[in-house]
Amino acid sequence: MRNALSVASECVPLIKTGGLADVVGALPTALSGAGWALKTLIPGYPAVMAAMEGAKEIWTTDDLMGAPARVLAKEVAGLDLLVLDAPAHFDRPGAIYLGDDGNDHPDNPERFAALAFAAAAIATEGAGGWSPEVLHLHDWQAALTPWYLRTMGGTAGTLLTIHNVAFHGLAPASRLNALRLPSEGFNRDGFEFWGQINMLKAGIVAADKISTVSPTYARELTTPDFGMGLDGVLKGRRNDLSGILNGIDTAAWDPATDPLLDSHFKTPRGKAKAKAALETEFDLPQSDGPLCIVVSRLTEQKGLDLLLDALPALLDRGGRLALLGTGDRNLENAWLEAAANHPHVSAKIGYDEALSHRMFAGADAVLVPSRFEPCGLTQMFGLRYGAVPVVAMTGGLADTVIPANAAGLKAGVATGLQVFPVTTDALAHALVRLCNLYRMPEEWGQIQKNAMKQGVGWRASAAAYAALYDEIAPA
Ligand code: ADP
Ligand code: GLC
């Protein structure tokens, strides 16, 4: 087995705000079957430190972006974890990126620069007698690593995976020294971005290879509509950029054995029971239309404002909607209001992993109308649990759902519905189609069956990552 270090700001089951954590938590098992042993370096937030009792100290420093720090090693939940214990940066209550006022912590650049710096140091000096051949860096929080590695003279190969190009990690130019970045890198070919330091751009220009989490998003990223100002830079690295589709953890998400469900199911009869339980839990009346769910962060990206406007198309045809989500205050309130106004809409504001499992188990359909979606995981949970995905035709959503159009239905391969363009009208149209298909038992049954059979695991993508690691590892 060869050694790699995966570096990220979140990792399931210890700390999660979104799909990044699912993916980072799943990679080590996925890659171990492909010849690579992964350790995972994450920050020592309070929730993470709570799991580190008895851990071994493998690296220390007096000054990591202005504060003492050490790295602890321990196996937790089957993961080989390295944790950056730096209390000045990470020992804070509440959300991991945000302060009490709901804004980003002003020192987020330094906090995650510390993570990147520690990763580069581990790769260069080794820690506890171990060093990686490859550094797998996730998003802007780990993206400065290649710059530090260069300064230290490290030789590990670097792969930057972009999970969401919307988050750049911006810092004013005055923080160059505090971030220990070389001033010669502060230009258009380096990490300068309209007069600021852009940490994601730093990784894009300096990593050996760049990947993102679906083939379609890899193409979209090089266009002005999706590149969020980094499309030009990404285009410049087109030959080193690839799209590798995320998988889901098919052991945790298995309708036949899911420990978070009361009664497991593999059959439509099991689904009916789970559906009845979900109706009770969300206080939704019975009807002859599909029971739809949304499990999502409530942000502009996810297009749930469009869904609010398109709702009549669903409700007029007996459809119902149960939503679980948290995020933007205005969207939370808008959904609570919709639930108050329509008996067939029910919304729970909050984050609840176990409830999300019960929702996929009981739903007829999961709605994912994202404006952009690098990969998306909930449509894959839907596939696996026979909750037919209705998705925007973008990013990983386009790559994981076989549309129930005339051709897809005729060939008997359809696994969901696609919406294009991502507008209220097109979404309303898709909801009408959903309701119609739901009333055609033969076609509906076929779609559900296809969905549950579709491969959503890691095997192919693990092999693709391993091939990239092989390419960038020093000879
Ligand atoms: P993103 O990372 O952009 O939020 P993904 O679809 O990749 O989107 O991943 C979201 C992950 O977070 C999924 O595992 C999803 O089930 C989970 N999730 C999102 N919101 C909630 C919530 N309110 N309660 C429980 N799980 C949630
Ligand atoms: C990001 C993206 C999401 C993707 C996840 C994991 O949060 O928004 O589409 O599935 O990362 O790669």
Side-chain angles (χ1 to χ4, degrees), residues 246-276:
N246 289 332
I248 59 169
D249 181 339
T250 49
W253 290 92
D254 182 344
T257 57
D258 190 332
L260 295 172
L261 298 182
D262 281 345
S263 57
H264 308 129
F265 72 89
K266 245 186 175 160
T267 60
R269 228 174 321 130
K271 181 100 192 159
K273 259 166 79 182
K275 182 171 168 179

Side-chain angles (χ1 to χ4, degrees), residues 364-368 378-379 382-383 387-391 401 415-418 451:
D364 296 308
V366 54
L367 312 182
V368 196
T378 59
Q379 82 281 13
L383 288 169
V388 171
V390 179
V391 302
V401 171
T415 60
L417 280 78
Q418 288 189 343

Side-chain angles (χ1 to χ4, degrees), residues 18-20 23 163-164 213 246 297 301-302 373-377:
L20 168 66
V23 172
H163 294 263
N164 193 334
V213 288
N246 289 332
R297 291 188 291 121
Q301 172 188 344
K302 302 295 180 179
E373 195 61 77
C375 180
L377 300 179

Side-chain angles (χ1 to χ4, degrees), residues 218-239:
R219 285 191 296 276
E220 289 172 344
L221 272 180
T222 59
T223 68
D225 282 351
F226 291 92
M228 307 265 176
L230 290 172
D231 40 292
V233 190
L234 283 157
K235 221 179 194 167
R237 295 223 54 196
R238 195 191 294 126
N239 295 337

